[in-house]
Amino acid sequence: MDDDESASGKFSGDKLWKLARGEPLTAAEEIARGGRELTTERLAREYLESPSVKMARELCDSPAAKLARDYANSPAQQLGKRVALGLNPAFGAAETARMEAMRKVLEPSMALAAKLNAIQPLAIDHARLASIGAIMPSIEPKVISAIQGVQPLKIDSSLASAVSQVQRTLEEAMAPLGGIGSAIKQFEQQHRAVQKSLLASLAGPFGDIAKTSQWANTLGRIDTPDITKLLGGGLGTAIDDMRGAIAKNFIGSAALDQAKMSAMLGLTARFEAHFAATQLKMSALAGIGEAFDRRSHFQLDAYHSLFGEWRTRVDLPENFWRDGRVRKRMYREAEVDEGLIVAQPGMALEIMIESGLTAGLRSEANAVAVVTLGEVSMTVRSRGTSKDAYALVGRFEQELRAYVERKLEERFGPDWFKLRASNLIGKAKEIRKAAMARGEAFVPLVHFTELGELSGIIQSTKNWDDVFGDVFVEKTEFDHDMQKLIAVRRPTMHMRRIDGVRLVEVICVVQRLSEQMADDGAWKLAAESDR
């Protein structure tokens, strides 16, 4: 190690290797370790000492892993390699039987496939919620319905039990792979398949439980007297009450299961001070969204603690889109959270997943958020944020178009476009005529409308009063949300990188509007019931 490294207090490669292997440091190394560490070294050390890495080491050194390594260098494996190269000798019956037996040892488990099938994503509605009983058999119905946003979430022992049940199911499903997949190349393909299945599962109730676990974990470990100052009086008091409920119920084995599930999803990061404050605000927004009715003023307070008075809109000055310094100045003037302003898009996405504001996981190379849009889920990767955010808004536009078509056709019949969007008929017909001239099939006129035009159809006075007012509730808030998405869909936007503020803003808006569409005005029926 050179003098610069010694002076900066960095760990040498030998020290990191010892930590990774769980070996003790020398006395001198311990003293050096006790000195001031830079944030990157501290994060590296905490990661290497984390329960998930310790578990990986144990699995890598397990008898099953050793058996696989031994097999890789065994005579049977060498014979297999010779066969692949066309150098195969004449095998006897004993050699053939031995090779077949070893092949079966490494064959993916049918039991694992069955377990993964049991946790496939489910549509979030009452009719299908009953089918998740095979995953979480002892979760009380009130907790399930609360997680779906039908009623406020109650932080009690049944919620802790739900988190534990999901963690154990996940652990059982992943157990056959252990850590062998990262150590033995033959299992890499199987690991990729499992990760895809895990991402798919995060699009359903599994993901809802994982999000709840993450924000509860973040809020539960807060130890600061300044929480009221950071979040504001009323919101700070509400979060403090939630912390008390979390501390009371997430204890013992429930707390351990919560930590295990976070480790399995790769969500064990500890952020620098300004990013930690951002994570707290995101967890507060996520927790308030589940624990309180979506029309509660706490929801608005939590959103403002993160975004201040900022909202992206199409009429922003051109230098906002071109110049990052202008954007940061405007964000600060609107009192956007400082950590969110300075975070790169990938970091903003990681904080969002860690906080429980969206479902997701982290691998060695990437963090992936899972955003559910009705029956469809989309992923946003930390290494492809601009492209994925643009695709997310595009997919939401398709879902919104289908929703508008269904709602208005149910109410006004197949000629609804002529009756309720007559101002768009001429333009839509011209576009459809050109499309059919190119050989495209006939589709209804609504398919030739853009996001801004769909927003106009919804907000027209007669359509809002007759159909959509009960769904989206606040017309001004809906218009602001749509403006944020329309700004991303500008023709030139897909050529520009999205920043951390707008990335988180887009995901929050898409999730909020998708939840309102899924609820479909059911809140009003519940509010007007005689019960």
Side-chain angles (χ1 to χ4, degrees):
M1 183 171 64
D2 58 30
D3 294 338
D4 290 339
E5 281 192 332
S6 298
S8 67
K10 292 183 179 179
F11 275 6
S12 69
D14 290 342
K15 293 177 188 176
L16 290 175
W17 175 248
K18 286 184 177 181
L19 284 175
R21 297 296 300 173
E23 298 175 3
L25 300 177
T26 66
E29 288 169 339
E30 286 285 4
I31 292 172
R33 178 183 174 187
R36 179 178 180 272
E37 295 176 283
L38 295 178
T39 301
T40 52
E41 286 90 45
R42 175 172 56 79
L43 290 175
R45 173 177 56 78
E46 289 179 353
Y47 171 72
L48 292 171
E49 293 177 330
S50 67
S52 58
V53 174
K54 181 180 179 182
M55 184 185 302
R57 284 198 302 267
E58 291 173 351
L59 289 170
C60 190
D61 292 333
S62 67
K66 291 178 180 177
L67 175 62
R69 285 193 293 268
D70 290 343
Y71 169 66
N73 296 316
S74 68
Q77 177 71 344
Q78 299 304 317
L79 288 174
K81 291 178 180 177
R82 295 185 67 186
V83 171
L85 293 171
L87 304 175
N88 53 306
F91 296 127
E95 289 83 357
T96 302
R98 185 167 63 254
M99 291 176 65
E100 178 64 15
M102 293 306 293
R103 183 189 65 78
K104 290 182 177 180
V105 168
L106 296 179
E107 193 173 57
S109 168
M110 294 299 292
L112 173 63
K115 290 179 185 298
L116 291 173
N117 287 335
I119 58 174
Q120 288 301 303
L122 305 172
I124 302 176
D125 59 45
H126 289 293
R128 298 189 184 182
L129 280 177
S131 66
I132 68 173
I135 303 173
M136 299 171 286
S138 64
I139 302 177
E140 296 181 22
K142 66 177 182 178
V143 177
I144 297 177
S145 59
I147 289 168
Q148 308 313 316
V150 177
Q151 65 186 47
L153 180 71
K154 183 178 180 181
I155 303 173
D156 56 15
S157 59
S158 60
L159 174 59
S161 174
V163 172
S164 294
Q165 291 284 349
V166 169
Q167 183 277 322
R168 289 165 189 165
T169 301
L170 178 60
E171 185 175 44
E172 185 179 353
M174 300 294 285
L177 292 179
I180 301 175
S182 61
I184 306 298
K185 290 185 179 180
Q186 289 92 326
F187 287 82
E188 288 180 352
Q189 185 175 358
Q190 191 173 351
H191 255 301
R192 285 193 292 270
V194 169
Q195 187 178 64
K196 289 181 180 179
S197 296
L198 187 54
L199 280 171
S201 298
L202 288 174
F206 224 103
D208 293 325
I209 292 288
K211 286 191 297 183
T212 300
S213 176
Q214 285 304 118
W215 65 252
N217 182 43
T218 299
L219 298 182
R221 69 169 185 261
I222 297 172
D223 186 19
T224 172
D226 298 326
I227 185 171
T228 302
K229 180 180 178 181
L230 182 65
L231 297 177
L235 178 61
T237 300
I239 293 298
D240 213 31
D241 290 342
M242 292 171 63
R243 288 180 58 235
I246 292 167
K248 180 180 178 181
N249 291 284
F250 283 86
I251 57 176
S253 61
L256 183 60
D257 288 335
Q258 184 184 42
K260 284 182 178 178
M261 183 160 67
S262 295
M264 288 178 184
L265 296 174
L267 306 180
T268 56
R270 294 292 183 269
F271 299 109
E272 296 178 5
H274 54 291
F275 290 153
T278 305
Q279 182 185 9
L280 169 59
K281 292 176 182 179
M282 288 187 182
S283 292
L285 178 57
I288 288 292
E290 291 192 39
F292 291 84
D293 186 272
R294 64 169 59 111
R295 284 158 292 280
S296 167
H297 70 88
F298 287 132
Q299 285 254 31
L300 186 61
D301 292 344
Y303 189 83
H304 282 174
S305 75
L306 188 63
F307 289 101
E309 298 300 321
W310 177 258
R311 61 181 178 88
T312 303
R313 56 190 191 277
V314 294
D315 61 348
L316 288 168
E318 188 61 31
N319 60 353
F320 169 86
W321 306 104
R322 295 197 314 264
D323 193 335
R325 294 170 298 180
V326 173
R327 287 198 297 274
K328 288 181 178 179
R329 175 177 57 78
M330 294 180 69
Y331 290 153
R332 291 188 173 105
E333 289 174 353
E335 299 184 326
V336 176
D337 172 76
E338 183 63 23
L340 189 55
I341 293 174
V342 302
Q344 292 296 315
M347 173 59 74
L349 188 71
E350 287 192 33
I351 300 172
M352 198 175 187
I353 298 169
E354 288 274 358
S355 70
L357 193 51
T358 190
L361 55 79
R362 182 192 291 110
S363 67
E364 294 179 1
N366 217 351
V368 185
V370 179
V371 183
T372 301
L373 312 174
E375 300 288 338
V376 179
S377 64
M378 298 286 288
T379 58
V380 181
R381 302 158 298 166
S382 61
R383 292 193 173 184
T385 49
S386 295
K387 178 181 177 181
D388 289 353
Y390 193 79
L392 175 65
V393 176
R395 183 66 206 198
F396 173 78
E397 180 179 331
Q398 296 176 36
E399 294 295 312
L400 181 63
R401 182 179 294 110
Y403 183 76
V404 168
E405 181 179 23
R406 176 175 67 81
K407 294 290 287 185
L408 292 177
E409 187 170 332
E410 285 176 354
R411 186 72 179 269
F412 303 107
D415 294 329
W416 70 266
F417 198 87
K418 179 180 179 181
L419 298 173
R420 312 297 286 199
S422 57
N423 60 311
L424 299 174
I425 284 182
K427 177 184 176 183
K429 280 187 174 180
E430 286 298 319
I431 298 173
R432 182 172 67 182
K433 182 179 179 181
M436 294 183 71
R438 295 192 300 268
E440 296 182 21
F442 172 89
V443 290
L445 291 173
V446 69
H447 290 266
F448 300 95
T449 55
E450 299 176 351
L451 192 59
E453 292 165 336
L454 291 172
S455 178
I457 292 173
I458 292 170
Q459 292 187 70
S460 70
T461 302
K462 55 185 180 181
N463 290 336
W464 184 269
D465 292 342
D466 293 344
V467 180
F468 297 109
D470 291 344
V471 177
F472 299 110
V473 187
E474 295 290 340
K475 194 171 185 179
T476 300
E477 181 183 336
F478 173 78
D479 180 60
H480 289 172
D481 280 347
M482 291 301 296
Q483 290 296 319
K484 295 167 188 175
L485 301 184
I486 292 168
V488 174
R489 293 288 283 172
R490 293 175 71 204
T492 57
M493 277 308 299
H494 68 282
M495 299 296 293
R496 297 173 177 170
R497 289 188 63 203
I498 193 168
D499 59 34
V501 175
R502 287 182 294 123
L503 174 66
V504 176
E505 181 184 55
V506 162
I507 295 176
C508 285
V509 168
V510 166
Q511 289 186 148
R512 179 165 58 243
L513 294 179
S514 296
E515 288 169 2
Q516 290 176 327
M517 289 158 59
D519 183 72
D520 201 29
W523 69 271
K524 187 176 182 181
L525 296 176
E528 295 176 348
S529 70
D530 296 329
R531 294 174 56 189

